[in-house]
Amino acid sequence: MKSRCLKWQVQMCIVFCIISTGLAQIRYSIPEEMKRGLFIGDIGKDLGIDLKRLITGKARLVIDGSQQYVQLDRDKGHLVVKERIDREQLCAQKSPCSFSLEVVLENPLELYAVTVEVHDINDNAPVFSEKEIRLEISESVPIGTHFLLDSAMDLDVGINSLQSYTLKPAHNFVLKQHNRPDGSKCAEMVLQTPLDREKQGEHALTLIAVDGGNPQRSGTIQVHIIVLDANDNAPVFSQPVYKASVVENSLKGTLVTTVNAVDADEGFNGNVTYAFTHVEESIRQTFQLDSKTGDIRVSSNIDYEKVQQYEINLQAKDPWGLTGSSKLIIEITDVNDNGPVITLTSFSSPISEDSTPGTVIALISVQDLDSGRNGQVSLFVDQNLPFKIKSSLRNYYTLVTHTVLDREQISKYNITITATDEGLPSLTSEKTVLLEISDVNDNAPRFDQNEYRTHVVENNSPGISILTLRATDADWGPNARISYRLLNDEITGISISSYISVNSDNGVVYAVRSFDYEHTKEFNIKVSAQDGGSPPLSTNVTVIICIQDQNDNSPQILYPVQSGVSLVAEMVARSADVGYLVTKVVAVDADSGQNAWLSYKLLKATDRALFEVGSQNGEIRTSRQVSDKDAVKQRLVVVVEDNGQPSRSATVNVNVAVADSFPEVLSEFSDFTHDKDYNDSLTFYLVLSLAVVSFLFIVSVIVLVSVKVYRWRQSRLFYKSNGNLPVIPSAYYPPRYADVGATGTLQHVYNYEVCMTTDSRKSDVRYVRPSSQNILITDPSSTETMQHTQKANNILEDADPDIEVSLCFNYLVFIFP
Ligand SMILES: *[C@@H]1O[C@H](CO)[C@@H](O)[C@H](O)[C@H]1NC(C)=O
Ligand SMILES: *[C@@H]1O[C@H](CO)[C@@H](O)[C@H](O)[C@H]1NC(C)=O
């Protein structure tokens, strides 16, 4: 390269020489920076000076300035480089650059001018004064803004000087180059695409300045661009829609969620504040938004049952008012905070105890404000109760009977209806209703006993209460109101009303008449207890009334027959042994038991030692050997006593004839007899008496029948006109009885009359006494009654002889068989 260059230089020199010969001035052109000693030009030749002359002439160079760039080789006549020639130093930016020198010859002094032109070579690169350009550019600068850049310096000139700039990379900026008036070049960046700090906060570019030399040289400078923020970004929420859920009844201050908006700007520009926008006051009160942190907290009570979801508009704002928005949806989660509410839509109480199972008692509706499982309610009642819940519609239930009810067992039910929801924990509510069961007449009255048995001592005072029947009825009210009623119409043909009456209200059984054991020992009545239901129910019970004996009958001597007219005597032979059965006293007692248990005693005797009476059997036996000295006529008085308390007795006279022959007896007994025929035929009298008795029997039967018929008619009339209690109107009785008055009393008197006439009118008055006493006790109007008693006695005197006869006859009939 160098050599080529040298050749070129030499050629150049030759040209110049030819030109300069005529002018006696030589011009050489050399590149700068030639090495020392390098040939520049052949002066001798070019100037036409002989080498000898050069030597002799002491040729020398005179150079302007201080620098001796070149020197003369006198021997060769060559001009060579003496020291480094730096064009930039020599001429700076002057071009062309040359320096002049003179070749001076002495002897004769000759002067030749030589000009050496120094060509520039590209030995300098463009240089920037700084290493780096720092630029701070706001991101908001508009497109097309120019930024002047530092210029680079290139000491070279011409083509070797700075030719152009390039900028790399060229994303945002393009480079524009300008030529200054002085010819220097300057560069500026023009913003081509907007800067975005948020994308790229810094840009590093390289500005390259290149010259036109060969080889080309370049210089670079770093352009460091810092993009300054401008508030060009609105805050942006991290989500377009936020979703959060919060449990209802959350405490105040519970964090619901945190929203976050980012402002791409930095620093103050990036400060974001949050707010609710376009929200109702109620939401503002329910939730609180921390404007700095974006925390959303509960600030008042949340009730799922009122609002299930909140939709809130959010806004984020930077200090310059740029806003971003989002939406927050808060779902409220249900909590089981509402118990079921039981409402009794309808309720029927009381219900009848005969209601069939399945009868609807109540219609119940249940509400639970909660939702889902929390609001799912099940309803039930105590399983032990005869009720159950049936579900008809959703949330509607019916309470129905499950089994048959019985008011008599349980008359009221406290039914507790329990509703439970399925929340966790579940809530329960209860409602208690009082159901009353109304009565149905389903229970018949019940007597205390299956059968009643009572004992009444005969000769009781009429009107006494003999027994109280008690029936109970499990039903209630009128269904349990019991009335008692006699069912029998009659007893042994006699109207029941003359025997017994029953108080229909309290069941007390009264004896209407005085009972006679000897007449009736026992009788049954049937009593019905009937309740007041509709239809009524009744129960029958049998009452057995046993009449107890009283010692009201004296023993009756049947044998020996006592007669005023006839004389009966037993014969005892004188030869009779000890223990000979003389006769037997036969007696009966109409009473029974102890009262009829007879004992016999010898009361009086002509000779007490001769006879004895068997106390049990009434047998009269000899107690010793009969002797001849014993009187023919023996008279014994035997007393017959019953065992009653007090005891009653009867005496009998027994005539005994102690004789061997009948005439003996007759002579002895002659004072006894009133009728001579008697002795002849005792049997005749017996036969006669039998005939009389038979006659009387027939008569008495007729009388008895007629009396019965009469009474029956009377009682029929009586029965018609009276209720249970025999109130006997006086009109049915003879006037003498009429003023006896009081209920039933007449009848009793009449009864007594009958009783009294059982014995002969001449005999005991004993029946009269108890009768009058009884009347005195029972009748409240006592003074009057006394008189009545007297009258009654009179009546007895005049009593119907027929009845007397008939009853006497009864005894006789009893005797003979
Ligand atoms: C029903 O409940 C009420 C209140 O608890 C109580 O006073 C009443 O005695 C109860 N009745 C019955 C029949 O259990
Ligand atoms: C009670 O007796 C009456 C009359 O004999 C009869 O009609 C009725 O059926 C009886 N009642 C009962 C419950 O036995």
Side-chain angles (χ1 to χ4, degrees), residues 734-760:
R736 295 181 77 179
Y737 297 94
D739 51 359
V740 173
T743 304
T745 311
L746 258 178
Q747 282 226 318
H748 305 313
V749 174
Y750 183 74
N751 290 342
Y752 275 82
E753 176 199 345
V754 174
C755 288
M756 288 178 69
T757 53
T758 53
D759 212 341
S760 80

PDB file of all heavy atoms in Angstrom, residues 734-760:
ATOM      1  N   PRO A 734    -161.883 -46.780 103.620  1.00  0.00           N
ATOM      2  CA  PRO A 734    -163.026 -46.355 104.424  1.00  0.00           C
ATOM      3  C   PRO A 734    -162.687 -45.098 105.171  1.00  0.00           C
ATOM      4  O   PRO A 734    -161.505 -44.845 105.433  1.00  0.00           O
ATOM      5  CB  PRO A 734    -163.218 -47.529 105.394  1.00  0.00           C
ATOM      6  CG  PRO A 734    -162.514 -48.668 104.781  1.00  0.00           C
ATOM      7  CD  PRO A 734    -161.458 -48.133 103.929  1.00  0.00           C
ATOM      8  N   PRO A 735    -163.679 -44.305 105.473  1.00  0.00           N
ATOM      9  CA  PRO A 735    -163.440 -42.992 106.096  1.00  0.00           C
ATOM     10  C   PRO A 735    -162.641 -43.112 107.376  1.00  0.00           C
ATOM     11  O   PRO A 735    -161.885 -42.215 107.704  1.00  0.00           O
ATOM     12  CB  PRO A 735    -164.836 -42.467 106.382  1.00  0.00           C
ATOM     13  CG  PRO A 735    -165.757 -43.358 105.683  1.00  0.00           C
ATOM     14  CD  PRO A 735    -165.072 -44.570 105.213  1.00  0.00           C
ATOM     15  N   ARG A 736    -162.752 -44.144 108.063  1.00  0.00           N
ATOM     16  CA  ARG A 736    -162.038 -44.267 109.348  1.00  0.00           C
ATOM     17  C   ARG A 736    -160.541 -44.299 109.102  1.00  0.00           C
ATOM     18  O   ARG A 736    -159.780 -43.884 109.938  1.00  0.00           O
ATOM     19  CB  ARG A 736    -162.499 -45.539 110.064  1.00  0.00           C
ATOM     20  CG  ARG A 736    -163.975 -45.461 110.452  1.00  0.00           C
ATOM     21  CD  ARG A 736    -164.405 -46.700 111.179  1.00  0.00           C
ATOM     22  NE  ARG A 736    -163.958 -46.693 112.538  1.00  0.00           N
ATOM     23  CZ  ARG A 736    -164.235 -47.672 113.402  1.00  0.00           C
ATOM     24  NH1 ARG A 736    -164.946 -48.707 113.006  1.00  0.00           N
ATOM     25  NH2 ARG A 736    -163.816 -47.618 114.639  1.00  0.00           N
ATOM     26  N   TYR A 737    -160.161 -44.855 107.994  1.00  0.00           N
ATOM     27  CA  TYR A 737    -158.720 -44.895 107.699  1.00  0.00           C
ATOM     28  C   TYR A 737    -158.229 -43.583 107.132  1.00  0.00           C
ATOM     29  O   TYR A 737    -157.069 -43.274 107.168  1.00  0.00           O
ATOM     30  CB  TYR A 737    -158.426 -45.979 106.660  1.00  0.00           C
ATOM     31  CG  TYR A 737    -158.756 -47.366 107.140  1.00  0.00           C
ATOM     32  CD1 TYR A 737    -160.013 -47.903 106.831  1.00  0.00           C
ATOM     33  CD2 TYR A 737    -157.870 -48.107 107.875  1.00  0.00           C
ATOM     34  CE1 TYR A 737    -160.327 -49.170 107.261  1.00  0.00           C
ATOM     35  CE2 TYR A 737    -158.191 -49.375 108.303  1.00  0.00           C
ATOM     36  CZ  TYR A 737    -159.416 -49.914 107.994  1.00  0.00           C
ATOM     37  OH  TYR A 737    -159.730 -51.160 108.400  1.00  0.00           O
ATOM     38  N   ALA A 738    -159.173 -42.867 106.507  1.00  0.00           N
ATOM     39  CA  ALA A 738    -158.765 -41.748 105.662  1.00  0.00           C
ATOM     40  C   ALA A 738    -157.900 -40.739 106.365  1.00  0.00           C
ATOM     41  O   ALA A 738    -156.903 -40.302 105.819  1.00  0.00           O
ATOM     42  CB  ALA A 738    -160.011 -41.059 105.124  1.00  0.00           C
ATOM     43  N   ASP A 739    -158.289 -40.374 107.606  1.00  0.00           N
ATOM     44  CA  ASP A 739    -157.526 -39.290 108.225  1.00  0.00           C
ATOM     45  C   ASP A 739    -156.223 -39.764 108.858  1.00  0.00           C
ATOM     46  O   ASP A 739    -155.544 -39.018 109.494  1.00  0.00           O
ATOM     47  CB  ASP A 739    -158.406 -38.544 109.235  1.00  0.00           C
ATOM     48  CG  ASP A 739    -159.055 -39.494 110.194  1.00  0.00           C
ATOM     49  OD1 ASP A 739    -158.808 -40.741 110.030  1.00  0.00           O
ATOM     50  OD2 ASP A 739    -159.770 -39.035 111.065  1.00  0.00           O
ATOM     51  N   VAL A 740    -155.894 -40.989 108.656  1.00  0.00           N
ATOM     52  CA  VAL A 740    -154.541 -41.411 109.082  1.00  0.00           C
ATOM     53  C   VAL A 740    -153.501 -40.682 108.240  1.00  0.00           C
ATOM     54  O   VAL A 740    -152.435 -40.329 108.699  1.00  0.00           O
ATOM     55  CB  VAL A 740    -154.401 -42.932 108.969  1.00  0.00           C
ATOM     56  CG1 VAL A 740    -152.987 -43.341 109.248  1.00  0.00           C
ATOM     57  CG2 VAL A 740    -155.359 -43.611 109.921  1.00  0.00           C
ATOM     58  N   GLY A 741    -153.865 -40.457 106.994  1.00  0.00           N
ATOM     59  CA  GLY A 741    -153.125 -39.408 106.246  1.00  0.00           C
ATOM     60  C   GLY A 741    -151.843 -39.816 105.584  1.00  0.00           C
ATOM     61  O   GLY A 741    -151.838 -40.163 104.411  1.00  0.00           O
ATOM     62  N   ALA A 742    -150.785 -39.778 106.318  1.00  0.00           N
ATOM     63  CA  ALA A 742    -149.429 -39.756 105.726  1.00  0.00           C
ATOM     64  C   ALA A 742    -149.184 -40.895 104.746  1.00  0.00           C
ATOM     65  O   ALA A 742    -149.803 -41.936 104.813  1.00  0.00           O
ATOM     66  CB  ALA A 742    -148.404 -39.818 106.842  1.00  0.00           C
ATOM     67  N   THR A 743    -148.307 -40.645 103.908  1.00  0.00           N
ATOM     68  CA  THR A 743    -147.984 -41.555 102.822  1.00  0.00           C
ATOM     69  C   THR A 743    -147.708 -42.963 103.314  1.00  0.00           C
ATOM     70  O   THR A 743    -146.838 -43.173 104.141  1.00  0.00           O
ATOM     71  CB  THR A 743    -146.739 -41.052 102.086  1.00  0.00           C
ATOM     72  OG1 THR A 743    -146.976 -39.730 101.664  1.00  0.00           O
ATOM     73  CG2 THR A 743    -146.427 -41.935 100.907  1.00  0.00           C
ATOM     74  N   GLY A 744    -148.444 -43.863 102.786  1.00  0.00           N
ATOM     75  CA  GLY A 744    -148.175 -45.269 103.099  1.00  0.00           C
ATOM     76  C   GLY A 744    -148.653 -45.710 104.457  1.00  0.00           C
ATOM     77  O   GLY A 744    -148.771 -46.891 104.715  1.00  0.00           O
ATOM     78  N   THR A 745    -148.973 -44.814 105.339  1.00  0.00           N
ATOM     79  CA  THR A 745    -149.266 -45.208 106.708  1.00  0.00           C
ATOM     80  C   THR A 745    -150.493 -46.097 106.773  1.00  0.00           C
ATOM     81  O   THR A 745    -150.509 -47.111 107.459  1.00  0.00           O
ATOM     82  CB  THR A 745    -149.470 -43.968 107.575  1.00  0.00           C
ATOM     83  OG1 THR A 745    -148.390 -43.109 107.312  1.00  0.00           O
ATOM     84  CG2 THR A 745    -149.536 -44.325 109.026  1.00  0.00           C
ATOM     85  N   LEU A 746    -151.482 -45.711 106.052  1.00  0.00           N
ATOM     86  CA  LEU A 746    -152.707 -46.490 106.073  1.00  0.00           C
ATOM     87  C   LEU A 746    -152.451 -47.948 105.752  1.00  0.00           C
ATOM     88  O   LEU A 746    -152.947 -48.834 106.410  1.00  0.00           O
ATOM     89  CB  LEU A 746    -153.670 -45.923 105.034  1.00  0.00           C
ATOM     90  CG  LEU A 746    -154.765 -45.049 105.617  1.00  0.00           C
ATOM     91  CD1 LEU A 746    -155.616 -44.506 104.503  1.00  0.00           C
ATOM     92  CD2 LEU A 746    -155.570 -45.829 106.636  1.00  0.00           C
ATOM     93  N   GLN A 747    -151.673 -48.109 104.766  1.00  0.00           N
ATOM     94  CA  GLN A 747    -151.372 -49.468 104.339  1.00  0.00           C
ATOM     95  C   GLN A 747    -150.738 -50.263 105.461  1.00  0.00           C
ATOM     96  O   GLN A 747    -151.039 -51.412 105.676  1.00  0.00           O
ATOM     97  CB  GLN A 747    -150.401 -49.415 103.156  1.00  0.00           C
ATOM     98  CG  GLN A 747    -151.110 -49.077 101.864  1.00  0.00           C
ATOM     99  CD  GLN A 747    -150.676 -49.989 100.763  1.00  0.00           C
ATOM    100  OE1 GLN A 747    -149.495 -50.267 100.672  1.00  0.00           O
ATOM    101  NE2 GLN A 747    -151.605 -50.470  99.990  1.00  0.00           N
ATOM    102  N   HIS A 748    -149.835 -49.607 106.155  1.00  0.00           N
ATOM    103  CA  HIS A 748    -149.170 -50.309 107.244  1.00  0.00           C
ATOM    104  C   HIS A 748    -150.163 -50.710 108.310  1.00  0.00           C
ATOM    105  O   HIS A 748    -150.136 -51.820 108.811  1.00  0.00           O
ATOM    106  CB  HIS A 748    -148.076 -49.441 107.841  1.00  0.00           C
ATOM    107  CG  HIS A 748    -147.108 -48.994 106.788  1.00  0.00           C
ATOM    108  ND1 HIS A 748    -146.582 -49.875 105.884  1.00  0.00           N
ATOM    109  CD2 HIS A 748    -146.605 -47.773 106.507  1.00  0.00           C
ATOM    110  CE1 HIS A 748    -145.792 -49.210 105.064  1.00  0.00           C
ATOM    111  NE2 HIS A 748    -145.792 -47.929 105.429  1.00  0.00           N
ATOM    112  N   VAL A 749    -151.035 -49.772 108.608  1.00  0.00           N
ATOM    113  CA  VAL A 749    -152.051 -50.107 109.608  1.00  0.00           C
ATOM    114  C   VAL A 749    -152.849 -51.311 109.127  1.00  0.00           C
ATOM    115  O   VAL A 749    -153.077 -52.255 109.844  1.00  0.00           O
ATOM    116  CB  VAL A 749    -152.968 -48.903 109.855  1.00  0.00           C
ATOM    117  CG1 VAL A 749    -154.096 -49.298 110.774  1.00  0.00           C
ATOM    118  CG2 VAL A 749    -152.164 -47.768 110.439  1.00  0.00           C
ATOM    119  N   TYR A 750    -153.169 -51.213 107.913  1.00  0.00           N
ATOM    120  CA  TYR A 750    -153.909 -52.314 107.320  1.00  0.00           C
ATOM    121  C   TYR A 750    -153.124 -53.608 107.431  1.00  0.00           C
ATOM    122  O   TYR A 750    -153.626 -54.628 107.814  1.00  0.00           O
ATOM    123  CB  TYR A 750    -154.161 -51.953 105.860  1.00  0.00           C
ATOM    124  CG  TYR A 750    -154.974 -52.960 105.119  1.00  0.00           C
ATOM    125  CD1 TYR A 750    -156.365 -53.059 105.355  1.00  0.00           C
ATOM    126  CD2 TYR A 750    -154.401 -53.799 104.187  1.00  0.00           C
ATOM    127  CE1 TYR A 750    -157.110 -53.983 104.665  1.00  0.00           C
ATOM    128  CE2 TYR A 750    -155.140 -54.707 103.497  1.00  0.00           C
ATOM    129  CZ  TYR A 750    -156.506 -54.797 103.726  1.00  0.00           C
ATOM    130  OH  TYR A 750    -157.248 -55.700 103.036  1.00  0.00           O
ATOM    131  N   ASN A 751    -151.834 -53.523 107.159  1.00  0.00           N
ATOM    132  CA  ASN A 751    -150.968 -54.692 107.280  1.00  0.00           C
ATOM    133  C   ASN A 751    -151.026 -55.258 108.678  1.00  0.00           C
ATOM    134  O   ASN A 751    -151.114 -56.445 108.898  1.00  0.00           O
ATOM    135  CB  ASN A 751    -149.523 -54.322 106.976  1.00  0.00           C
ATOM    136  CG  ASN A 751    -149.338 -54.014 105.493  1.00  0.00           C
ATOM    137  OD1 ASN A 751    -150.193 -54.410 104.699  1.00  0.00           O
ATOM    138  ND2 ASN A 751    -148.282 -53.299 105.163  1.00  0.00           N
ATOM    139  N   TYR A 752    -150.927 -54.353 109.561  1.00  0.00           N
ATOM    140  CA  TYR A 752    -150.917 -54.822 110.945  1.00  0.00           C
ATOM    141  C   TYR A 752    -152.206 -55.482 111.319  1.00  0.00           C
ATOM    142  O   TYR A 752    -152.253 -56.439 112.044  1.00  0.00           O
ATOM    143  CB  TYR A 752    -150.585 -53.656 111.878  1.00  0.00           C
ATOM    144  CG  TYR A 752    -149.114 -53.525 111.960  1.00  0.00           C
ATOM    145  CD1 TYR A 752    -148.407 -52.846 110.983  1.00  0.00           C
ATOM    146  CD2 TYR A 752    -148.434 -54.178 112.984  1.00  0.00           C
ATOM    147  CE1 TYR A 752    -147.070 -52.788 111.008  1.00  0.00           C
ATOM    148  CE2 TYR A 752    -147.077 -54.118 113.014  1.00  0.00           C
ATOM    149  CZ  TYR A 752    -146.384 -53.414 112.039  1.00  0.00           C
ATOM    150  OH  TYR A 752    -145.050 -53.367 112.076  1.00  0.00           O
ATOM    151  N   GLU A 753    -153.186 -54.884 110.765  1.00  0.00           N
ATOM    152  CA  GLU A 753    -154.485 -55.508 110.972  1.00  0.00           C
ATOM    153  C   GLU A 753    -154.430 -56.966 110.547  1.00  0.00           C
ATOM    154  O   GLU A 753    -154.838 -57.858 111.258  1.00  0.00           O
ATOM    155  CB  GLU A 753    -155.519 -54.729 110.171  1.00  0.00           C
ATOM    156  CG  GLU A 753    -156.881 -55.303 110.206  1.00  0.00           C
ATOM    157  CD  GLU A 753    -157.685 -54.760 109.052  1.00  0.00           C
ATOM    158  OE1 GLU A 753    -157.247 -53.738 108.434  1.00  0.00           O
ATOM    159  OE2 GLU A 753    -158.714 -55.334 108.761  1.00  0.00           O
ATOM    160  N   VAL A 754    -153.861 -57.140 109.391  1.00  0.00           N
ATOM    161  CA  VAL A 754    -153.749 -58.506 108.885  1.00  0.00           C
ATOM    162  C   VAL A 754    -152.914 -59.347 109.825  1.00  0.00           C
ATOM    163  O   VAL A 754    -153.264 -60.447 110.191  1.00  0.00           O
ATOM    164  CB  VAL A 754    -153.144 -58.493 107.470  1.00  0.00           C
ATOM    165  CG1 VAL A 754    -152.904 -59.911 107.007  1.00  0.00           C
ATOM    166  CG2 VAL A 754    -154.062 -57.771 106.531  1.00  0.00           C
ATOM    167  N   CYS A 755    -151.792 -58.754 110.227  1.00  0.00           N
ATOM    168  CA  CYS A 755    -150.916 -59.487 111.122  1.00  0.00           C
ATOM    169  C   CYS A 755    -151.653 -59.856 112.397  1.00  0.00           C
ATOM    170  O   CYS A 755    -151.564 -60.976 112.881  1.00  0.00           O
ATOM    171  CB  CYS A 755    -149.716 -58.624 111.487  1.00  0.00           C
ATOM    172  SG  CYS A 755    -148.600 -58.444 110.103  1.00  0.00           S
ATOM    173  N   MET A 756    -152.355 -58.879 112.868  1.00  0.00           N
ATOM    174  CA  MET A 756    -152.998 -59.116 114.158  1.00  0.00           C
ATOM    175  C   MET A 756    -154.062 -60.185 114.070  1.00  0.00           C
ATOM    176  O   MET A 756    -154.249 -60.967 114.969  1.00  0.00           O
ATOM    177  CB  MET A 756    -153.622 -57.812 114.644  1.00  0.00           C
ATOM    178  CG  MET A 756    -152.562 -56.835 115.097  1.00  0.00           C
ATOM    179  SD  MET A 756    -153.274 -55.303 115.593  1.00  0.00           S
ATOM    180  CE  MET A 756    -154.081 -55.862 117.061  1.00  0.00           C
ATOM    181  N   THR A 757    -154.673 -60.182 112.985  1.00  0.00           N
ATOM    182  CA  THR A 757    -155.748 -61.151 112.876  1.00  0.00           C
ATOM    183  C   THR A 757    -155.233 -62.546 112.663  1.00  0.00           C
ATOM    184  O   THR A 757    -156.009 -63.483 112.615  1.00  0.00           O
ATOM    185  CB  THR A 757    -156.680 -60.772 111.730  1.00  0.00           C
ATOM    186  OG1 THR A 757    -155.899 -60.593 110.564  1.00  0.00           O
ATOM    187  CG2 THR A 757    -157.425 -59.511 112.061  1.00  0.00           C
ATOM    188  N   THR A 758    -153.940 -62.674 112.504  1.00  0.00           N
ATOM    189  CA  THR A 758    -153.419 -64.032 112.407  1.00  0.00           C
ATOM    190  C   THR A 758    -153.694 -64.788 113.689  1.00  0.00           C
ATOM    191  O   THR A 758    -153.823 -66.004 113.701  1.00  0.00           O
ATOM    192  CB  THR A 758    -151.915 -64.020 112.125  1.00  0.00           C
ATOM    193  OG1 THR A 758    -151.297 -63.206 113.095  1.00  0.00           O
ATOM    194  CG2 THR A 758    -151.611 -63.521 110.728  1.00  0.00           C
ATOM    195  N   ASP A 759    -153.690 -64.041 114.737  1.00  0.00           N
ATOM    196  CA  ASP A 759    -154.074 -64.694 115.995  1.00  0.00           C
ATOM    197  C   ASP A 759    -155.539 -64.355 116.286  1.00  0.00           C
ATOM    198  O   ASP A 759    -156.121 -63.466 115.670  1.00  0.00           O
ATOM    199  CB  ASP A 759    -153.154 -64.167 117.112  1.00  0.00           C
ATOM    200  CG  ASP A 759    -152.926 -65.234 118.118  1.00  0.00           C
ATOM    201  OD1 ASP A 759    -153.739 -66.196 118.148  1.00  0.00           O
ATOM    202  OD2 ASP A 759    -151.940 -65.126 118.871  1.00  0.00           O
ATOM    203  N   SER A 760    -156.099 -65.007 117.231  1.00  0.00           N
ATOM    204  CA  SER A 760    -157.509 -64.708 117.517  1.00  0.00           C
ATOM    205  C   SER A 760    -157.601 -63.388 118.245  1.00  0.00           C
ATOM    206  O   SER A 760    -156.635 -62.913 118.818  1.00  0.00           O
ATOM    207  CB  SER A 760    -158.100 -65.831 118.383  1.00  0.00           C
ATOM    208  OG  SER A 760    -157.701 -65.616 119.708  1.00  0.00           O
TER     209      SER A 760
END
